[in-house]
Amino acid sequence: MVSSLFNKTLAQSNATPLCFSISSTPFRHNHTITSAYFSAVFSSLGLSSNLFALVVLAKTFHHTKSRSRSSFLLFLGGLVFTDFMGLLVTGSIVVSFHITHFNWRQLDPHCHFCNFMGMSMVFYGLCPLLLGTTMAVERFIGINRPFARSTAITNSRACLTVAMVWVTAGCISLLPLVGLGSYHLQVPGSWCFLNISSRPLDMAFGLIFSLVGLLSLAVSFLLNTVSVVTLLKVCCGQDSAQRRRDYEVEMMVQLILIMTIASVCWCPLLVFIAQTVLSGSELDVHHLLLWIRFATGNQVLDPWVYILFRRAILKRIAPRMDWSRGSIISLYPTISTSFRKLTRASLGGTTDHLDRVRPNPSKARQEDTPLPVLDATAMSSSI
């Protein structure tokens, strides 16, 4: 009786945790100084780039007066902040491994640390893709349905939307903790990621991760294509010199570049996971490492889109373009005219009511007379 209990306890103590079940730690990996330097330099470059972009975004947001641009800057700020935190969390673990060469089984016998890193990899991987889709939806509505956008998307709703994206990505990353899929230690032993295997639950989670990412990229490509075509039709039509608006061009250039970078960095990994899961073939570790490094590069390149393609830089690239200030609503003359008529009609009744209430209507009308508006081109040149 005592011996059977002892053997059962010994078997439980020697049981391999789930996150190490496909691993033979410690891996036979040659810990070179190059690996530590590369990881440290890569993480430092990404963190400094995202931090600089956050500072520039904060200053721009503080001075902007355009509602559409301010909400776009909030989405962009959420993207840059997410990339910064992703590099800070995952990069610190990888750099620590290359410097200290710690043993995962001794450090994390119950897989809590490995699950945390796996969740971080999935969360900070899906967030940029989902935020890119959200920004594409915002620009699609802003360019094709400007009046609907002006009433539906405010700064508070933009912040709420970013929070909802984070919650969605967080819920997906938590699925392995409730039994759908699992996180495993990956070669060379410096990181944890979702287990790509032929087990049904692992296959389901791998497909969810890859299909959500691919669907986000597809929706972004479709909406951005329609938005660019619409913007080109309006800006390059008749009287195009009077219809160009810098903010719409700036935001679309940045959004197209963000989508392109995300597609180049993430499509190989997402397609690789989906193809491996659906084909049931053995996991190619070398390709997994290659594509995961491609995907990590997205967090480093995203902030440079805003740093290098701001309005001031674009004006230097295309100095002959009429960089007048204005809203996309002014690009549609008929809609703008109707809007002014509707505004005058609605204000007319209000004005008549105020004339009956005010003791001196004629004096009040003189006080309410708007100040003369400076020409947009003159303002732009002065600024």
Coordinates of all heavy atoms in Angstrom, one line a residue, residues 153-244:
I153 N -18.6 58.5 -35.1 CA -17.2 58.2 -34.6 C -16.7 59.5 -33.9 O -16.3 60.4 -34.5 CB -16.3 57.8 -35.7 CG1 -16.8 56.5 -36.4 CG2 -14.9 57.5 -35.1 CD1 -16.0 56.0 -37.5
T154 N -16.7 59.5 -32.6 CA -16.2 60.6 -31.8 C -14.9 60.0 -31.1 O -14.6 58.9 -31.2 CB -17.2 61.0 -30.7 OG1 -17.5 59.9 -29.8 CG2 -18.4 61.6 -31.4
N155 N -14.2 60.9 -30.4 CA -13.0 60.5 -29.7 C -13.2 59.5 -28.6 O -12.4 58.6 -28.5 CB -12.2 61.7 -29.1 CG -11.6 62.6 -30.2 OD1 -11.5 62.2 -31.4 ND2 -11.3 63.8 -29.8
S156 N -14.3 59.7 -27.9 CA -14.6 58.7 -26.9 C -15.0 57.4 -27.4 O -14.6 56.3 -26.9 CB -15.8 59.2 -26.0 OG -16.9 59.5 -26.8
R157 N -15.7 57.4 -28.6 CA -16.0 56.1 -29.2 C -14.8 55.5 -29.8 O -14.7 54.2 -29.9 CB -17.1 56.3 -30.3 CG -18.5 56.6 -29.7 CD -19.5 56.8 -30.7 NE -20.8 57.1 -30.1 CZ -21.9 57.3 -30.8 NH1 -21.9 57.2 -32.1 NH2 -23.1 57.6 -30.2
A158 N -13.9 56.3 -30.3 CA -12.6 55.7 -30.8 C -11.8 55.0 -29.8 O -11.3 53.9 -30.0 CB -11.8 56.8 -31.5
C159 N -11.7 55.6 -28.6 CA -11.1 55.0 -27.4 C -11.8 53.7 -27.0 O -11.1 52.7 -26.7 CB -11.0 55.9 -26.3 SG -9.9 57.4 -26.5
L160 N -13.1 53.7 -27.1 CA -13.9 52.5 -26.7 C -13.6 51.4 -27.7 O -13.5 50.2 -27.4 CB -15.3 52.9 -26.6 CG -16.3 51.7 -26.3 CD1 -15.9 51.1 -24.9 CD2 -17.7 52.2 -26.3
T161 N -13.5 51.8 -29.0 CA -13.3 50.8 -30.1 C -11.9 50.2 -29.9 O -11.8 48.9 -30.1 CB -13.4 51.5 -31.4 OG1 -14.7 52.1 -31.6 CG2 -13.2 50.5 -32.5
V162 N -10.9 51.0 -29.6 CA -9.6 50.4 -29.3 C -9.6 49.4 -28.2 O -9.0 48.3 -28.2 CB -8.5 51.5 -29.1 CG1 -7.2 51.0 -28.6 CG2 -8.4 52.4 -30.3
A163 N -10.3 49.8 -27.1 CA -10.5 48.9 -25.9 C -11.2 47.6 -26.3 O -10.8 46.5 -25.9 CB -11.2 49.6 -24.8
M164 N -12.2 47.7 -27.2 CA -12.9 46.5 -27.6 C -12.0 45.6 -28.5 O -12.1 44.3 -28.4 CB -14.1 46.9 -28.5 CG -15.2 47.5 -27.6 SD -16.6 48.1 -28.6 CE -17.1 46.5 -29.4
V165 N -11.1 46.2 -29.3 CA -10.1 45.4 -30.0 C -9.2 44.6 -29.1 O -8.9 43.4 -29.3 CB -9.3 46.3 -31.0 CG1 -8.2 45.5 -31.6 CG2 -10.2 46.8 -32.1
W166 N -8.7 45.3 -28.0 CA -7.9 44.7 -27.1 C -8.6 43.5 -26.4 O -8.0 42.5 -26.1 CB -7.4 45.7 -26.0 CG -6.4 46.7 -26.6 CD1 -5.6 46.5 -27.7 CD2 -6.0 47.9 -26.0 NE1 -4.8 47.6 -27.9 CE2 -5.0 48.5 -26.8 CE3 -6.4 48.7 -24.9 CZ2 -4.5 49.7 -26.6 CZ3 -5.9 49.9 -24.6 CH2 -4.9 50.4 -25.5
V167 N -9.9 43.7 -26.0 CA -10.6 42.7 -25.3 C -10.8 41.5 -26.3 O -10.7 40.3 -25.8 CB -12.0 43.3 -24.9 CG1 -12.9 42.1 -24.4 CG2 -11.8 44.3 -23.8
T168 N -11.1 41.8 -27.5 CA -11.3 40.7 -28.5 C -10.0 39.8 -28.7 O -10.1 38.6 -28.6 CB -11.7 41.2 -29.9 OG1 -12.9 42.0 -29.7 CG2 -11.9 40.1 -30.9
A169 N -8.9 40.5 -28.9 CA -7.6 39.8 -29.0 C -7.3 39.1 -27.7 O -6.8 37.9 -27.7 CB -6.5 40.8 -29.3
G170 N -7.6 39.7 -26.5 CA -7.4 39.0 -25.3 C -8.2 37.8 -25.1 O -7.7 36.8 -24.5
C171 N -9.4 37.8 -25.5 CA -10.3 36.6 -25.4 C -9.8 35.5 -26.2 O -9.8 34.3 -25.8 CB -11.7 37.0 -25.7 SG -12.6 38.1 -24.6
I172 N -9.3 35.8 -27.4 CA -8.8 34.8 -28.3 C -7.5 34.2 -27.7 O -7.3 32.9 -27.7 CB -8.5 35.3 -29.7 CG1 -9.8 35.7 -30.4 CG2 -7.7 34.3 -30.6 CD1 -9.6 36.4 -31.7
S173 N -6.7 35.0 -27.1 CA -5.4 34.5 -26.5 C -5.7 33.6 -25.3 O -4.8 32.8 -24.9 CB -4.5 35.7 -26.1 OG -5.1 36.4 -25.1
L174 N -6.8 33.8 -24.6 CA -7.2 33.0 -23.4 C -7.8 31.6 -23.8 O -8.0 30.8 -22.8 CB -8.2 33.8 -22.6 CG -7.6 35.0 -21.8 CD1 -8.8 35.8 -21.1 CD2 -6.6 34.6 -20.8
L175 N -8.1 31.4 -25.0 CA -8.7 30.1 -25.4 C -7.9 28.9 -25.0 O -8.5 27.9 -24.5 CB -9.0 30.1 -26.9 CG -10.1 31.1 -27.4 CD1 -10.2 30.9 -28.9 CD2 -11.4 30.7 -26.7
P176 N -6.6 28.8 -25.1 CA -5.9 27.7 -24.7 C -6.0 27.4 -23.2 O -5.9 26.2 -22.7 CB -4.4 28.0 -25.1 CG -4.6 28.9 -26.2 CD -5.7 29.7 -25.9
L177 N -6.2 28.4 -22.4 CA -6.3 28.2 -20.9 C -7.6 27.6 -20.6 O -7.8 27.0 -19.4 CB -6.2 29.6 -20.2 CG -4.9 30.3 -20.4 CD1 -4.8 31.5 -19.5 CD2 -3.7 29.4 -20.2
V178 N -8.6 27.6 -21.5 CA -9.9 26.9 -21.2 C -10.0 25.6 -21.9 O -11.1 25.0 -22.0 CB -11.1 27.8 -21.5 CG1 -11.1 29.1 -20.6 CG2 -11.1 28.2 -23.0
G179 N -8.9 25.2 -22.6 CA -8.9 23.9 -23.2 C -8.8 23.8 -24.7 O -8.6 22.8 -25.3
L180 N -9.1 25.0 -25.4 CA -9.0 25.0 -26.8 C -7.6 25.4 -27.3 O -7.2 26.5 -27.4 CB -10.0 26.0 -27.4 CG -10.2 26.1 -28.9 CD1 -10.6 24.8 -29.5 CD2 -11.2 27.2 -29.3
G181 N -6.8 24.4 -27.6 CA -5.5 24.6 -28.0 C -4.5 24.6 -26.8 O -4.9 24.3 -25.6
S182 N -3.3 24.9 -27.0 CA -2.3 24.9 -25.9 C -1.1 25.7 -26.4 O -0.8 25.9 -27.6 CB -1.8 23.5 -25.5 OG -1.3 22.8 -26.7
Y183 N -0.3 26.2 -25.4 CA 0.9 26.9 -25.6 C 2.1 26.0 -25.3 O 2.1 25.4 -24.2 CB 1.0 28.2 -24.8 CG 0.0 29.2 -25.2 CD1 -1.0 29.7 -24.3 CD2 0.0 29.8 -26.5 CE1 -2.0 30.6 -24.7 CE2 -1.0 30.7 -26.9 CZ -1.9 31.1 -26.0 OH -2.8 32.1 -26.4
H184 N 3.1 26.0 -26.1 CA 4.3 25.1 -25.9 C 5.5 25.9 -26.1 O 5.6 26.9 -26.8 CB 4.2 23.9 -26.9 CG 3.3 22.8 -26.5 ND1 3.6 21.5 -26.5 CD2 2.0 22.9 -26.2 CE1 2.6 20.8 -26.2 NE2 1.6 21.6 -26.0
L185 N 6.6 25.4 -25.4 CA 7.9 26.0 -25.6 C 8.4 25.6 -27.0 O 8.3 24.5 -27.4 CB 8.8 25.4 -24.5 CG 10.2 26.0 -24.4 CD1 10.2 27.5 -24.0 CD2 11.1 25.2 -23.4
Q186 N 9.0 26.6 -27.6 CA 9.4 26.4 -29.0 C 10.9 26.5 -29.1 O 11.6 27.1 -28.3 CB 8.8 27.5 -29.9 CG 7.3 27.6 -29.8 CD 6.6 26.4 -30.5 OE1 7.1 25.7 -31.3 NE2 5.4 26.1 -30.0
V187 N 11.5 25.9 -30.1 CA 12.9 25.9 -30.4 C 13.3 27.4 -30.7 O 12.6 28.1 -31.4 CB 13.3 25.0 -31.6 CG1 14.7 25.1 -32.0 CG2 12.9 23.6 -31.3
P188 N 14.4 27.9 -30.2 CA 15.5 27.2 -29.4 C 15.3 27.3 -27.9 O 16.3 27.2 -27.2 CB 16.7 28.0 -29.9 CG 16.2 29.4 -30.1 CD 14.8 29.3 -30.6
G189 N 14.1 27.4 -27.5 CA 13.9 27.5 -26.0 C 13.7 28.8 -25.4 O 13.7 29.0 -24.2
S190 N 13.7 29.9 -26.3 CA 13.6 31.2 -25.8 C 12.2 31.8 -25.8 O 12.0 32.9 -25.4 CB 14.5 32.1 -26.6 OG 14.1 32.1 -28.0
W191 N 11.2 31.1 -26.4 CA 9.9 31.7 -26.5 C 8.8 30.5 -26.5 O 9.1 29.4 -26.8 CB 9.8 32.5 -27.8 CG 10.0 31.7 -29.0 CD1 11.2 31.0 -29.4 CD2 9.1 31.4 -30.1 NE1 11.1 30.4 -30.6 CE2 9.8 30.6 -31.1 CE3 7.8 31.7 -30.4 CZ2 9.2 30.2 -32.2 CZ3 7.2 31.3 -31.5 CH2 7.9 30.5 -32.5
C192 N 7.6 30.9 -26.2 CA 6.5 30.0 -26.2 C 5.4 30.5 -27.2 O 5.3 31.8 -27.4 CB 5.8 29.9 -24.8 SG 6.8 29.0 -23.6
F193 N 4.7 29.6 -27.8 CA 3.8 30.0 -28.9 C 2.7 28.9 -28.9 O 2.9 27.8 -28.3 CB 4.5 30.2 -30.2 CG 3.7 30.8 -31.3 CD1 3.0 32.0 -31.0 CD2 3.5 30.3 -32.5 CE1 2.3 32.7 -32.0 CE2 2.8 30.9 -33.5 CZ 2.1 32.1 -33.2
L194 N 1.7 29.1 -29.7 CA 0.6 28.1 -29.8 C 1.2 26.8 -30.4 O 2.1 26.8 -31.3 CB -0.5 28.6 -30.7 CG -0.3 29.1 -32.1 CD1 -0.5 27.9 -33.1 CD2 -1.2 30.2 -32.5
N195 N 0.7 25.7 -30.0 CA 1.2 24.4 -30.4 C 0.5 24.1 -31.8 O -0.7 24.0 -31.9 CB 0.8 23.3 -29.4 CG 1.4 22.0 -29.8 OD1 2.4 21.9 -30.5 ND2 0.7 20.9 -29.3
I196 N 1.4 23.9 -32.8 CA 0.9 23.6 -34.2 C 1.1 22.1 -34.3 O 2.2 21.6 -34.6 CB 1.7 24.3 -35.2 CG1 1.7 25.8 -34.9 CG2 1.2 24.1 -36.6 CD1 2.6 26.6 -35.8
S197 N 0.0 21.3 -34.1 CA 0.0 19.9 -34.2 C -1.2 19.4 -34.8 O -2.1 20.1 -35.2 CB 0.2 19.3 -32.8 OG -1.0 19.5 -32.0
S198 N -1.3 18.0 -34.9 CA -2.5 17.4 -35.5 C -3.6 17.1 -34.5 O -4.6 16.5 -34.9 CB -2.1 16.1 -36.2 OG -1.5 15.2 -35.2
R199 N -3.4 17.5 -33.2 CA -4.5 17.3 -32.2 C -5.7 18.2 -32.6 O -5.5 19.4 -33.0 CB -4.0 17.6 -30.8 CG -2.9 16.7 -30.3 CD -2.4 17.1 -28.9 NE -3.5 17.1 -27.9 CZ -3.8 18.2 -27.3 NH1 -3.3 19.4 -27.6 NH2 -4.8 18.1 -26.4
P200 N -6.9 17.7 -32.5 CA -8.1 18.5 -32.9 C -8.2 19.9 -32.3 O -8.4 20.9 -33.0 CB -9.3 17.6 -32.5 CG -8.7 16.2 -32.5 CD -7.3 16.4 -32.0
L201 N -7.9 20.0 -31.0 CA -8.1 21.3 -30.3 C -7.0 22.2 -30.7 O -7.2 23.4 -30.9 CB -8.1 21.0 -28.8 CG -9.3 20.3 -28.2 CD1 -9.1 20.1 -26.7 CD2 -10.6 21.0 -28.5
D202 N -5.7 21.7 -30.9 CA -4.7 22.5 -31.4 C -4.9 23.0 -32.8 O -4.6 24.1 -33.1 CB -3.3 21.7 -31.3 CG -2.9 21.6 -29.9 OD1 -3.3 22.3 -29.0 OD2 -2.1 20.6 -29.6
M203 N -5.4 22.1 -33.6 CA -5.8 22.5 -35.0 C -6.8 23.6 -35.0 O -6.7 24.5 -35.8 CB -6.3 21.3 -35.7 CG -5.2 20.2 -36.0 SD -6.0 18.8 -36.8 CE -6.6 19.5 -38.4
A204 N -7.8 23.5 -34.1 CA -8.9 24.5 -34.1 C -8.4 25.8 -33.7 O -8.7 26.9 -34.3 CB -10.0 24.0 -33.1
F205 N -7.5 25.9 -32.7 CA -7.0 27.2 -32.2 C -6.0 27.7 -33.3 O -6.0 28.9 -33.5 CB -6.3 27.0 -30.9 CG -5.7 28.3 -30.3 CD1 -6.6 29.3 -30.0 CD2 -4.4 28.5 -30.2 CE1 -6.1 30.5 -29.5 CE2 -3.9 29.7 -29.6 CZ -4.8 30.7 -29.3
G206 N -5.2 26.9 -33.9 CA -4.3 27.4 -34.9 C -5.1 28.0 -36.1 O -4.7 29.0 -36.6
L207 N -6.2 27.3 -36.5 CA -7.0 27.9 -37.6 C -7.7 29.2 -37.1 O -7.8 30.1 -37.9 CB -8.1 26.9 -38.0 CG -7.6 25.7 -38.8 CD1 -8.7 24.7 -39.1 CD2 -6.9 26.2 -40.1
I208 N -8.2 29.3 -35.9 CA -8.8 30.5 -35.4 C -7.8 31.7 -35.5 O -8.1 32.8 -36.0 CB -9.3 30.3 -34.0 CG1 -10.5 29.4 -34.0 CG2 -9.7 31.7 -33.4 CD1 -11.0 29.1 -32.6
F209 N -6.6 31.4 -35.0 CA -5.5 32.5 -35.0 C -5.2 32.9 -36.4 O -5.2 34.1 -36.7 CB -4.3 32.0 -34.3 CG -3.1 32.9 -34.3 CD1 -3.1 34.0 -33.5 CD2 -2.1 32.7 -35.2 CE1 -2.0 34.9 -33.6 CE2 -1.0 33.5 -35.3 CZ -1.0 34.7 -34.4
S210 N -5.0 32.0 -37.3 CA -4.5 32.3 -38.7 C -5.7 32.9 -39.5 O -5.5 33.9 -40.2 CB -4.0 31.1 -39.4 OG -5.0 30.0 -39.4
L211 N -6.9 32.4 -39.3 CA -8.0 32.9 -40.1 C -8.5 34.3 -39.7 O -8.8 35.1 -40.5 CB -9.2 31.9 -40.1 CG -9.0 30.6 -40.8 CD1 -10.2 29.7 -40.6 CD2 -8.6 30.8 -42.2
V212 N -8.4 34.5 -38.4 CA -8.7 35.9 -37.9 C -7.7 36.9 -38.4 O -8.1 38.0 -38.9 CB -8.8 35.9 -36.3 CG1 -8.8 37.4 -35.8 CG2 -9.9 35.2 -35.8
G213 N -6.5 36.5 -38.4 CA -5.5 37.4 -39.0 C -5.6 37.6 -40.5 O -5.5 38.8 -41.0
L214 N -5.8 36.5 -41.2 CA -6.0 36.7 -42.7 C -7.2 37.4 -43.1 O -7.3 38.2 -44.0 CB -6.0 35.3 -43.3 CG -4.6 34.5 -43.3 CD1 -4.8 33.1 -43.8 CD2 -3.6 35.2 -44.1
L215 N -8.3 37.2 -42.3 CA -9.6 37.9 -42.6 C -9.4 39.4 -42.3 O -9.9 40.2 -43.1 CB -10.7 37.3 -41.7 CG -12.1 37.9 -41.9 CD1 -12.6 37.7 -43.4 CD2 -13.1 37.3 -40.9
S216 N -8.7 39.7 -41.3 CA -8.4 41.2 -41.0 C -7.7 41.8 -42.1 O -8.0 42.9 -42.5 CB -7.6 41.3 -39.7 OG -8.4 40.7 -38.6
L217 N -6.7 41.2 -42.6 CA -5.9 41.7 -43.7 C -6.7 41.8 -45.0 O -6.6 42.8 -45.7 CB -4.7 40.8 -44.0 CG -3.6 40.8 -42.9 CD1 -2.5 39.8 -43.3 CD2 -3.0 42.2 -42.8
A218 N -7.6 40.8 -45.2 CA -8.5 40.9 -46.4 C -9.5 42.0 -46.4 O -9.7 42.8 -47.3 CB -9.2 39.5 -46.6
V219 N -10.1 42.2 -45.2 CA -11.1 43.3 -45.0 C -10.3 44.7 -45.2 O -10.9 45.6 -45.8 CB -11.8 43.2 -43.7 CG1 -12.6 44.4 -43.4 CG2 -12.6 41.9 -43.6
S220 N -9.2 44.8 -44.6 CA -8.4 46.0 -44.7 C -8.1 46.3 -46.2 O -8.2 47.5 -46.6 CB -7.1 45.9 -43.9 OG -7.4 45.7 -42.5
F221 N -7.6 45.3 -46.9 CA -7.3 45.5 -48.3 C -8.5 46.0 -49.1 O -8.5 46.9 -49.9 CB -6.7 44.2 -48.9 CG -6.4 44.3 -50.3 CD1 -5.2 44.9 -50.8 CD2 -7.3 43.8 -51.3 CE1 -4.9 45.0 -52.1 CE2 -7.0 43.9 -52.7 CZ -5.8 44.5 -53.1
L222 N -9.7 45.3 -48.9 CA -10.9 45.7 -49.6 C -11.3 47.1 -49.3 O -11.6 47.9 -50.2 CB -12.0 44.7 -49.3 CG -13.4 44.9 -49.9 CD1 -13.2 44.9 -51.4 CD2 -14.4 44.0 -49.4
L223 N -11.4 47.5 -48.0 CA -11.9 48.8 -47.7 C -10.9 49.9 -48.1 O -11.3 50.9 -48.5 CB -12.2 48.8 -46.2 CG -13.3 47.9 -45.6 CD1 -13.5 48.1 -44.1 CD2 -14.6 48.2 -46.4
N224 N -9.6 49.6 -47.9 CA -8.7 50.6 -48.3 C -8.6 50.9 -49.8 O -8.4 52.0 -50.3 CB -7.3 50.2 -47.8 CG -7.1 50.4 -46.3 OD1 -7.8 51.2 -45.7 ND2 -6.2 49.6 -45.7
T225 N -8.8 49.8 -50.6 CA -8.9 49.9 -52.0 C -10.1 50.8 -52.4 O -9.9 51.7 -53.3 CB -9.0 48.6 -52.7 OG1 -7.9 47.8 -52.3 CG2 -9.0 48.7 -54.2
V226 N -11.2 50.6 -51.9 CA -12.4 51.4 -52.2 C -12.2 52.8 -51.7 O -12.5 53.8 -52.5 CB -13.7 50.8 -51.5 CG1 -14.9 51.7 -51.7 CG2 -14.0 49.4 -52.0
S227 N -11.6 53.0 -50.6 CA -11.4 54.4 -50.1 C -10.4 55.2 -51.0 O -10.6 56.3 -51.3 CB -10.8 54.4 -48.7 OG -11.8 53.7 -47.8
V228 N -9.3 54.5 -51.4 CA -8.3 55.1 -52.3 C -9.0 55.5 -53.6 O -8.7 56.6 -54.2 CB -7.1 54.2 -52.5 CG1 -6.2 54.8 -53.6 CG2 -6.3 54.1 -51.2
V229 N -9.7 54.6 -54.2 CA -10.4 54.9 -55.5 C -11.3 56.0 -55.4 O -11.4 56.9 -56.2 CB -11.1 53.6 -56.0 CG1 -12.0 53.9 -57.2 CG2 -10.1 52.5 -56.3
T230 N -12.1 56.1 -54.3 CA -13.0 57.2 -54.1 C -12.3 58.5 -53.9 O -12.7 59.5 -54.5 CB -13.9 56.9 -52.8 OG1 -14.6 55.7 -53.0 CG2 -14.9 58.1 -52.6
L231 N -11.2 58.5 -53.1 CA -10.4 59.7 -52.9 C -9.8 60.2 -54.2 O -9.7 61.4 -54.5 CB -9.4 59.4 -51.9 CG -8.7 60.7 -51.2 CD1 -9.7 61.6 -50.6 CD2 -7.7 60.2 -50.2
L232 N -9.3 59.3 -55.0 CA -8.7 59.6 -56.3 C -9.7 60.2 -57.3 O -9.4 61.2 -58.0 CB -8.0 58.4 -56.9 CG -6.7 57.9 -56.3 CD1 -6.2 56.7 -56.9 CD2 -5.6 59.0 -56.3
K233 N -10.9 59.6 -57.3 CA -11.9 60.2 -58.2 C -12.3 61.6 -57.8 O -12.5 62.4 -58.7 CB -13.2 59.3 -58.1 CG -13.1 58.0 -58.8 CD -14.4 57.2 -58.7 CE -14.3 55.9 -59.5 NZ -15.5 55.1 -59.4
V234 N -12.4 61.9 -56.5 CA -12.8 63.2 -56.1 C -11.6 64.2 -56.3 O -11.8 65.3 -56.8 CB -13.2 63.2 -54.6 CG1 -13.5 64.6 -54.1 CG2 -14.4 62.3 -54.4
C235 N -10.4 63.8 -55.9 CA -9.3 64.7 -56.0 C -8.8 64.9 -57.4 O -8.2 66.0 -57.7 CB -8.1 64.2 -55.1 SG -8.5 64.2 -53.3
C236 N -8.9 64.0 -58.3 CA -8.4 64.1 -59.6 C -9.4 64.4 -60.6 O -9.2 64.3 -61.8 CB -7.7 62.8 -60.0 SG -6.3 62.3 -58.9
G237 N -10.6 64.7 -60.2 CA -11.7 65.1 -61.1 C -11.6 66.6 -61.5 O -10.5 67.2 -61.5
Q238 N -12.7 67.1 -61.9 CA -12.7 68.5 -62.3 C -12.5 69.4 -61.1 O -12.9 69.1 -60.0 CB -14.1 68.9 -62.9 CG -14.4 68.2 -64.2 CD -15.7 68.5 -64.7 OE1 -16.5 69.2 -64.1 NE2 -16.0 68.1 -65.9
D239 N -11.7 70.5 -61.3 CA -11.4 71.4 -60.2 C -10.6 70.7 -59.1 O -10.8 70.9 -57.9 CB -12.6 72.1 -59.6 CG -13.4 72.9 -60.7 OD1 -12.7 73.4 -61.6 OD2 -14.6 73.0 -60.5
S240 N -9.7 69.8 -59.5 CA -9.0 69.0 -58.5 C -8.1 69.8 -57.7 O -7.9 69.5 -56.5 CB -8.2 67.8 -59.2 OG -7.3 68.4 -60.1
A241 N -7.6 70.9 -58.3 CA -6.7 71.7 -57.5 C -7.3 72.4 -56.3 O -6.7 72.7 -55.3 CB -6.1 72.8 -58.4
Q242 N -8.7 72.5 -56.4 CA -9.4 73.2 -55.3 C -10.0 72.1 -54.3 O -10.6 72.5 -53.3 CB -10.5 74.0 -55.8 CG -10.0 75.1 -56.7 CD -11.2 75.9 -57.3 OE1 -12.4 75.7 -57.0 NE2 -10.9 76.9 -58.2
R243 N -9.9 70.9 -54.7 CA -10.5 69.9 -53.9 C -9.6 69.0 -53.1 O -10.0 68.2 -52.3 CB -11.3 68.9 -54.8 CG -12.5 69.6 -55.5 CD -13.3 68.6 -56.3 NE -14.3 69.3 -57.0 CZ -15.2 68.6 -57.8 NH1 -15.1 67.3 -57.9 NH2 -16.1 69.3 -58.4
R244 N -8.3 69.1 -53.2 CA -7.4 68.3 -52.5 C -7.4 68.7 -51.0 O -7.4 69.8 -50.7 CB -6.0 68.4 -53.1 CG -5.8 67.8 -54.5 CD -4.4 67.8 -54.9 NE -4.2 67.2 -56.2 CZ -3.7 67.8 -57.3 NH1 -3.3 69.0 -57.1 NH2 -3.6 67.2 -58.4

